Amino acid sequence: MPGMYRVMDKDRQQPGLGRRSADIGPKAAAGYTGVERRATVRRANPRARSLLTGKIVIGDGDVSHDCVVRNLSAKGARVRMAGAINLPSTFSLLVVREALLFDAGIAWRRGEQIGLAFSGQHDLRTDVDPAHRGARALWTALAPL
């Protein structure tokens, strides 16, 4: 069949599903449902996919960097930042749309993708902590009306 990937099974060719059929074996390719290939969830709180505007806030809010929140859970997030920016060991993630400020640290980093682990969460709509004054001012300036 033209256009189909082919996988070699000993001395004969069988139509396959491309790379996936090589992973699960040609005999199982006919009954492949996709479930077998899914990654095992290693998190206690699975992250929900998202596309949210975020800010990495350093210190009391004097320094911030734009980021995109690609997935989010109560315990962590995956963000994308343009360029290689050195970050301190602890900082905050401001999710502008949700008015949430997370105390965060880097769990992993691969290029522009950064995995964050959260140690605290604050709702800027109700939070009155003076330590978050800079982040609150930043959120107020960025928040949609």
Side-chain angles (χ1 to χ4, degrees), residues 2 21 23 29 31 33 42 44 56-57 73 82 105 109 112 122 128 132 137 139-141:
S21 62
D23 293 344
T33 63
R42 296 180 297 176
I56 299 291
V57 180
S73 78
R109 188 170 194 159
E112 294 181 339
H122 314 279
V128 292
H132 303 142
W139 170 72
T140 303

Side-chain angles (χ1 to χ4, degrees), residues 28-83:
Y32 178 70
T33 63
V35 176
E36 298 88 352
R37 179 107 163 113
R38 290 192 182 137
T40 304
V41 176
R42 296 180 297 176
R43 296 179 177 87
N45 299 331
R47 294 182 180 169
R49 291 178 68 183
S50 64
L51 187 60
L52 299 170
T53 302
K55 288 273 192 184
I56 299 291
V57 180
I58 299 171
D60 59 358
D62 291 339
V63 178
S64 66
H65 300 283
D66 292 332
C67 67
V68 176
V69 181
R70 299 302 308 207
N71 61 35
L72 183 65
S73 78
K75 298 289 184 182
R78 178 172 53 102
V79 299
R80 182 172 179 238
M81 294 182 66

